[in-house]
Amino acid sequence: MLGLLWRAVFLLLLLVAPVAARAEGRLVDFEIASRRFDGNQAGVTAIRKAIAYLPDGYEAGRRRYPVVYFLPNLFDDQRAIFDRDGAKAVLDRAIAEGTVPPLILVSADFSTPAGSSFYATSPVTGDWTGFLAQDLVAAVDGRFRTLPRPDSRGLLGDRMGGYGAIRTAMLAPGVFGAVYALHPVGTGVGLQTMNSRPNFERLAAAKSLDDLGDDGFSRVFLGMYQAFLPHPGKPPFHVDFPASGRGASLATDPVLTARLQNAFLLDRLLPAHASELKALRGLMFDWGRFDGNADHVVANRAFAGLLEELGVANEAEEYRGWWGERHWTQGGRVETRALPFFGRALAYEEK
Amino acid sequence: MLGLLWRAVFLLLLLVAPVAARAEGRLVDFEIASRRFDGNQAGVTAIRKAIAYLPDGYEAGRRRYPVVYFLPNLFDDQRAIFDRDGAKAVLDRAIAEGTVPPLILVSADFSTPAGSSFYATSPVTGDWTGFLAQDLVAAVDGRFRTLPRPDSRGLLGDRMGGYGAIRTAMLAPGVFGAVYALHPVGTGVGLQTMNSRPNFERLAAAKSLDDLGDDGFSRVFLGMYQAFLPHPGKPPFHVDFPASGRGASLATDPVLTARLQNAFLLDRLLPAHASELKALRGLMFDWGRFDGNADHVVANRAFAGLLEELGVANEAEEYRGWWGERHWTQGGRVETRALPFFGRALAYEEK
Amino acid sequence: MLGLLWRAVFLLLLLVAPVAARAEGRLVDFEIASRRFDGNQAGVTAIRKAIAYLPDGYEAGRRRYPVVYFLPNLFDDQRAIFDRDGAKAVLDRAIAEGTVPPLILVSADFSTPAGSSFYATSPVTGDWTGFLAQDLVAAVDGRFRTLPRPDSRGLLGDRMGGYGAIRTAMLAPGVFGAVYALHPVGTGVGLQTMNSRPNFERLAAAKSLDDLGDDGFSRVFLGMYQAFLPHPGKPPFHVDFPASGRGASLATDPVLTARLQNAFLLDRLLPAHASELKALRGLMFDWGRFDGNADHVVANRAFAGLLEELGVANEAEEYRGWWGERHWTQGGRVETRALPFFGRALAYEEK
Amino acid sequence: MLGLLWRAVFLLLLLVAPVAARAEGRLVDFEIASRRFDGNQAGVTAIRKAIAYLPDGYEAGRRRYPVVYFLPNLFDDQRAIFDRDGAKAVLDRAIAEGTVPPLILVSADFSTPAGSSFYATSPVTGDWTGFLAQDLVAAVDGRFRTLPRPDSRGLLGDRMGGYGAIRTAMLAPGVFGAVYALHPVGTGVGLQTMNSRPNFERLAAAKSLDDLGDDGFSRVFLGMYQAFLPHPGKPPFHVDFPASGRGASLATDPVLTARLQNAFLLDRLLPAHASELKALRGLMFDWGRFDGNADHVVANRAFAGLLEELGVANEAEEYRGWWGERHWTQGGRVETRALPFFGRALAYEEK
């Protein structure tokens, strides 16, 4: 009933209020010092950036709010959704129209010099799982008027961040209560082999990141190897490569390739962690079927099947759209799916 | 703004009203005499049954309402969604909560003695397209306070009825303004061949429908042949069969099989009728990915691709669920997808 | 029995002969003047190049031989399989080892200035079907000691040429008796839409082929439009484009897109031409499952299903391999599949 | 060169020999007493039946031969391929025509009272891997003139037996040198979940195998649970069930389901055992794309991808055909693929 009341009241307020006075949230940049990256060999700094969206009324009131932690996509920093995608307007409107009750959204930087941390824990890149599930949560609960319990914490991730959201729910259980992954990657292998993507010759010859130029696949996979095939003390990148050569001369190391897949792919992690996902108040993910990389589509379909097989309640929706097309747009996935999901799945009341 | 107002007002009314007085619509059974079946050879009778859901307030007021025409699944009559699925409660609640503005829903009987009319026009089974798009619409506009124009008419079909909804929008353009197909069938061929499904030996030997017993596939396909491979004057079923034999001895007639597919499958009809679908105010369909008949899933994915290729705006959603599992349930597809869709896509005001 | 005898005799000859004297065929370049390109607007010249492989013993004997017509892939001319792929050695060895009885193989140039003729007939690019099925065959039968009848003529196509082989068997029936398509393209649409591939903005702005630079997809699709959406008298390319814009601004013309697909895609042509394929002595095609363009794989699987549905006897084999990887290699598809196929499917005796 | 000589000589012999004198092999039934089933709780007896095909010339000569071990499909005993499928004639012809050099083929019984042993090792059903890789091999090497080394031992399995062949090569390395799996099952999960197949209500209520009647899926899955979810001492079947209920009431145990999949599915076993498969002289498998259970097709495609990813050389061929249709037929998979494969992959000479 409370949900209905919120919606009704907000709708009426919206209708009677002058447009000029429409409620707006506020953005607050902040930083967190973390020891999770001590000794890392990838150039990750200890001071991590973050940004919080505080809903309209936050400052005037004393209420506590749930927090949705937003995990950015590869190559995006913590501000990209606000600076580029208009996320603040989406949140303002969704709260104003009662799509979701007022909440705090926190976005942090999960990038490494090579690209992405893959939201993983590695001796080369640091303990990103701990940073997210412990340090960041503690910092946010300490700084803002949050509802400081799992039932009121959500994870919302965008593509690579969607991967991070599901991964973190499996590997750091008991911290977050609901997960929404927008078009996650890394849920499984698709039609092409993983080892066919990077240029191993270029990777093997490179002396620094600059030598990779704008070879996107090689950069992404280097980040993956730093996360999942770390080899501390082996310059320049401190990784093992799961293969060498290219095309007809590709030579695969089956042991390293298997180790990479077992550590990286969510469908390999799931069998041992299904219970952690079952314990969530809500799990949802989606993907656009016209992603130019069909591997993502095929892998997400199969991952949805594996969740079903293991009895993990979830919503998994394939929609008309391509890679990231409709996440923060008006009427897009965040507004019509993710925020209503967090409206249903999180607890909004103090106990 | 009007949509917002409706939602707000209804939510408030809902909250202040005593539960005992919750608004309820009313069901009205009625019949239509149609000449569209004159001369049919399948035993279809001229008096067709239908049922209308009239929203709360219909009788006390003078307002006109949009109409959603519901097309039942195979083997369902016009009352099945009310008698078995609780459709009235779903509609009552959705209107009461502002999920959709008040509207009329009409369900009619599209079955034939063999099973389904396939919502098609055939010399053997009659002109079901004309019955739906002309006779039924005229009867409803004549009998109820409707908004008698395409912008205010929707088609909502369930599986075989979803097929009928898309088919009718293509073949009888200009009558309906928005289409929602729940888990449609017949959008294309899937993984198995169509001719591998029915028992042609049993069909060829049968003297009457009773001889088919409970062989569901053979019955369904007989209805398909009456619709799309009619052969009037050829007893007992007045059809041609596109193949004979079974398994290793299956002998396919390529001309009849091609004719059947061209007449039946929506992906074969679409290239010549894409413009009719583009002219709609809204087109949406969905399917559950765990349908035990994977052909439906594969075909719907491909049909979504073909719509995209031809530039037909649409929403096509694949969700966690199996064959018909979540259509009329609480929080199911009708309540959370189809009715909000008709809330957006239909016109609710008199011009 | 004759086949067995050939194999036995050749194997023994092979074993007793000194290696230095191993039998070799001979390559003969020749040209054909054709009127099929009169009035074309794509710069196609009337003198067409071809090359014939004549088996060892051709010159010393009086025997007549079957002819396999080889249709090259996109961007390959008639000599590419000999100059680059070592086709002569493959043929020499296959005949010497009795993999296939001696035969003539003829390869011709099917390229246009834009890229490929798509083996089609168009007012812009000329009548390539007629050139192949009538002019080339007549020239070969006139110049060489062939078995001049359909039972002794095969079509072997490589990728785009595989497309051409199946297309020609459908549209020029009664000329060729057996078809083998190596990894054909254009059998249907795959996962991505066709209109997402070319750069319509660049195509629309281009004043000449040079303006397309090395944009391979745009060049390929321009050739497709010249073949299937010709618009004679509309410079510079004499085509209609089925869409304009790009990405989010892509605007599709559903009528032109449907026309293109109906004219181009083999699965659209098949229903009306299944009987022509059924009349063949043999039909086989194959593809490697790791083609980097998964659309080809998906489309070939579906095409195999449609052939099955329509009762067209065929062999369709998906193998471990990628785009063109194993066609002319030792132990590759030509040697282990295509040539034995023609050994079974063609007639090698004079009547 | 030796291969060529064999083929030539046999072809010539074949041509000069009177048909009535065509060479024939001989079948020898025999039994093996094994301790691998001591203490099993599934009613498996210690005396196991087997049958050997000895090639023509075996008795008159002193030569040693390679051995192909044939693993039967579910519900087939060791004689089924001879009594039902005409395997002897296929072997006679293939050897006579030089398709494969002379070899011994041994087929044994791998069934249990519930159905199949799944070629696995379990406290409930016994150590079938040890029986095959050690006891049976030792018995055959002791009884017949074999080439008693891995290079001269092949595994040929049919469907469930194809599963067994790949499984055994992974789990009992160093015994067999080449593996051919005809249409294997259990390579991975397909489109439907495994837990949707058996009737858990019926399984839970059953007091004996008879209570399962002709419910094929439930019987097959019971055998699977005896192999992979054994619970010795828990009557009547000595298994755990990974789920209970049915349809909407299905309740999945994620831990048991994960355990089952990890123990059963070849794609779960492969990452840790890829090196064992890489060490083979040859690995090939195939499947017909029209298998009525599309899960097998989807799983085999994905398994082929995983082998590629891990760098395991293999041939994996998808062909036109359905479930088991063309295994032992003339021109079928055994004759045209499996036997030539063993001709290439096994060693036929004494060292």
Side-chain angles (χ1 to χ4, degrees), chain C residues 108-132:
Chain C
D109 178 19
F110 286 84
S111 68
T112 67
S116 174
S117 65
F118 281 71
Y119 297 89
T121 294
S122 143
V124 169
T125 55
D127 176 8
W128 291 89
T129 305
F131 166 69
L132 167 56

Side-chain angles (χ1 to χ4, degrees), chain C residues 9-38:
Chain C
V9 166
F10 271 93
L11 288 176
L12 278 192
L13 287 177
L14 181 65
L15 288 163
V16 299
V19 171
R22 182 163 296 187
E24 280 197 40
R26 195 167 60 91
L27 298 181
V28 180
D29 290 286
F30 62 104
E31 291 183 339
I32 305 139
S34 173
R35 308 297 306 265
R36 304 283 170 181
F37 310 105
D38 289 2

Side-chain angles (χ1 to χ4, degrees), chain A residues 273-286:
Chain A
H273 296 282
S275 299
E276 287 83 322
L277 295 189
K278 284 190 83 157
L280 293 173
R281 297 165 60 100
L283 170 63
M284 184 163 180
F285 63 112
D286 62 25

Side-chain angles (χ1 to χ4, degrees), chain D:
Chain D
M1 289 300 268
L2 199 61
L4 273 181
L5 182 59
W6 266 119
R7 285 166 61 201
V9 167
F10 271 94
L11 289 176
L12 279 193
L13 288 176
L14 180 66
L15 288 163
V16 299
V19 171
R22 181 161 298 187
E24 281 197 40
R26 195 167 62 91
L27 298 180
V28 179
D29 290 285
F30 62 106
E31 290 182 340
I32 305 139
S34 173
R35 308 296 306 265
R36 306 282 170 180
F37 311 105
D38 288 3
N40 84 82
Q41 307 196 353
V44 174
T45 53
I47 309 298
R48 310 304 308 165
K49 295 187 175 175
I51 183 170
Y53 168 92
L54 304 176
D56 177 61
Y58 178 89
E59 274 151 66
R62 311 188 60 168
R63 206 176 141 196
R64 291 187 166 274
Y65 297 91
V67 183
V68 169
Y69 291 83
F70 178 79
L71 308 184
N73 187 24
L74 191 73
F75 301 129
D76 281 355
D77 64 18
Q78 79 283 0
R79 288 197 61 99
I81 55 166
F82 297 108
D83 294 345
R84 181 193 59 208
D85 300 332
K88 180 172 172 298
V90 171
L91 292 165
D92 284 346
R93 185 172 60 237
I95 292 173
E97 297 189 357
T99 302
V100 66
L103 49 70
I104 295 170
L105 185 141
V106 170
S107 171
D109 178 19
F110 286 84
S111 67
T112 67
S116 175
S117 65
F118 282 70
Y119 297 89
T121 294
S122 143
V124 170
T125 55
D127 176 7
W128 291 90
T129 304
F131 166 69
L132 166 56
Q134 300 183 31
D135 297 3
L136 181 61
V137 166
V140 167
D141 283 340
R143 178 183 292 262
F144 302 107
R145 288 205 317 280
T146 67
L147 290 163
R149 51 192 170 104
D151 287 359
S152 300
R153 285 191 202 107
L155 281 170
L156 170 63
D158 179 11
R159 289 167 278 184
M160 179 65 79
Y163 167 84
I166 300 174
R167 179 182 184 86
T168 303
M170 290 200 279
L171 298 183
V175 179
F176 303 96
V179 171
Y180 195 110
L182 295 154
H183 205 118
V185 301
T187 50
V189 168
L191 299 170
Q192 310 296 325
T193 62
M194 290 173 59
N195 282 343
S196 68
R197 298 295 192 181
N199 184 333
F200 287 111
E201 293 176 349
R202 189 163 186 178
L203 282 167
K207 302 254 183 299
S208 72
L209 288 173
D210 287 347
D211 290 344
L212 299 179
D214 61 352
D215 181 346
F217 264 125
S218 294
R219 280 182 175 268
V220 172
F221 278 73
L222 178 58
M224 189 191 297
Y225 306 145
Q226 289 188 326
F228 304 114
L229 290 177
H231 191 144
K234 184 183 174 193
F237 301 125
H238 306 278
V239 302
D240 290 323
F241 294 122
S244 59
R246 250 174 109 58
S249 76
L250 183 77
T252 295
D253 184 313
V255 173
L256 288 174
T257 300
R259 185 184 305 162
L260 170 66
Q261 294 198 337
N262 288 340
F264 167 48
L265 296 172
L266 296 182
D267 64 350
R268 312 299 162 97
L269 296 171
L270 180 58
H273 296 283
S275 299
E276 286 84 323
L277 295 189
K278 283 190 84 158
L280 292 173
R281 297 166 60 100
L283 171 63
M284 186 162 179
F285 63 112
D286 62 25
W287 61 93
R289 74 171 54 82
F290 300 113
D291 184 340
N293 184 341
D295 292 355
H296 298 152
V297 175
V298 169
N300 279 326
R301 288 173 181 168
F303 190 67
L306 188 56
L307 287 168
E308 187 76 6
E309 183 77 273
L310 295 171
V312 179
N314 72 91
E315 291 297 318
E317 229 168 52
E318 178 178 312
Y319 59 90
R320 194 219 69 76
W322 58 83
W323 176 247
E325 174 197 8
R326 294 166 58 187
H327 292 188
W328 288 98
T329 52
Q330 186 152 10
R333 303 298 299 182
V334 172
E335 185 170 350
T336 66
R337 296 293 186 273
L339 292 177
F341 165 82
F342 286 117
R344 295 190 300 272
L346 294 182
Y348 289 80
E349 296 84 36
E350 302 190 41
K351 269 187 178 161

Side-chain angles (χ1 to χ4, degrees), chain A residues 290, chain B residues 301-302 305-306 309, chain C residues 187-194 197 265 293-300:
Chain A
F290 300 114
Chain B
R301 288 174 181 166
L306 188 56
E309 181 78 272
Chain C
T187 49
V189 168
L191 299 170
Q192 309 297 325
T193 62
M194 290 173 60
R197 298 294 192 182
L265 296 172
N293 184 340
D295 292 354
H296 298 152
V297 175
V298 170
N300 279 327

Side-chain angles (χ1 to χ4, degrees), chain A:
Chain A
M1 286 301 269
L2 198 60
L4 272 181
L5 183 58
W6 265 119
R7 284 167 60 198
V9 166
F10 272 93
L11 289 176
L12 279 191
L13 288 176
L14 181 66
L15 288 162
V16 300
V19 170
R22 181 161 297 187
E24 281 196 39
R26 193 167 62 91
L27 298 180
V28 180
D29 290 286
F30 62 105
E31 290 181 339
I32 305 139
S34 173
R35 307 298 305 266
R36 304 282 170 182
F37 310 104
D38 289 3
N40 84 82
Q41 307 195 354
V44 175
T45 54
I47 308 299
R48 310 304 308 162
K49 295 187 174 175
I51 184 170
Y53 168 92
L54 304 176
D56 178 61
Y58 178 89
E59 274 151 64
R62 311 190 60 167
R63 203 177 145 198
R64 291 187 165 274
Y65 298 92
V67 183
V68 169
Y69 290 83
F70 177 79
L71 308 185
N73 187 25
L74 191 72
F75 302 129
D76 282 356
D77 65 17
Q78 81 282 0
R79 288 198 60 100
I81 57 166
F82 297 108
D83 295 344
R84 181 193 58 208
D85 299 332
K88 180 172 171 299
V90 172
L91 292 164
D92 283 347
R93 185 173 60 239
I95 293 172
E97 295 188 359
T99 303
V100 67
L103 49 70
I104 295 170
L105 183 141
V106 170
S107 171
D109 178 18
F110 286 85
S111 67
T112 67
S116 174
S117 65
F118 282 71
Y119 297 90
T121 294
S122 143
V124 170
T125 55
D127 176 7
W128 291 89
T129 304
F131 166 70
L132 166 57
Q134 301 183 30
D135 297 3
L136 181 61
V137 165
V140 167
D141 283 341
R143 179 182 291 261
F144 303 107
R145 288 207 315 282
T146 66
L147 291 163
R149 52 193 169 102
D151 288 358
S152 300
R153 286 191 201 108
L155 280 170
L156 170 62
D158 179 10
R159 289 166 278 182
M160 180 64 78
Y163 169 84
I166 299 174
R167 179 181 183 87
T168 303
M170 289 199 278
L171 298 184
V175 180
F176 304 96
V179 170
Y180 195 110
L182 295 153
H183 205 118
V185 300
T187 49
V189 168
L191 299 171
Q192 309 297 325
T193 62
M194 291 173 60
N195 282 343
S196 68
R197 297 295 193 183
N199 183 333
F200 287 110
E201 293 175 350
R202 189 164 187 175
L203 282 167
K207 302 253 183 298
S208 73
L209 288 173
D210 288 347
D211 290 344
L212 298 179
D214 60 352
D215 180 345
F217 264 125
S218 293
R219 280 184 175 269
V220 172
F221 278 72
L222 178 58
M224 188 192 296
Y225 305 145
Q226 288 189 327
F228 304 115
L229 289 178
H231 190 145
K234 184 183 173 194
F237 301 125
H238 305 277
V239 302
D240 290 323
F241 294 122
S244 59
R246 250 177 109 59
S249 75
L250 183 77
T252 294
D253 184 314
V255 173
L256 289 174
T257 300
R259 186 185 304 161
L260 171 66
Q261 294 197 337
N262 288 341
F264 168 47
L265 296 173
L266 297 181
D267 64 350
R268 311 299 161 96
L269 296 171
L270 180 57
H273 296 282
S275 299
E276 287 83 322
L277 295 189
K278 284 190 83 157
L280 293 173
R281 297 165 60 100
L283 170 63
M284 184 163 180
F285 63 112
D286 62 25
W287 62 93
R289 75 171 55 82
F290 300 114
D291 186 341
N293 184 340
D295 291 354
H296 298 151
V297 175
V298 169
N300 280 325
R301 287 174 182 166
F303 190 67
L306 188 56
L307 287 167
E308 188 76 7
E309 181 79 89
L310 294 171
V312 179
N314 72 92
E315 291 296 320
E317 229 169 52
E318 179 178 310
Y319 60 90
R320 194 219 68 78
W322 58 85
W323 176 248
E325 175 196 9
R326 295 167 56 186
H327 292 186
W328 288 99
T329 52
Q330 186 151 9
R333 303 298 300 181
V334 172
E335 187 170 349
T336 66
R337 295 292 185 275
L339 292 176
F341 165 81
F342 286 117
R344 297 189 298 272
L346 294 182
Y348 288 81
E349 295 86 37
E350 303 190 41
K351 270 186 177 163

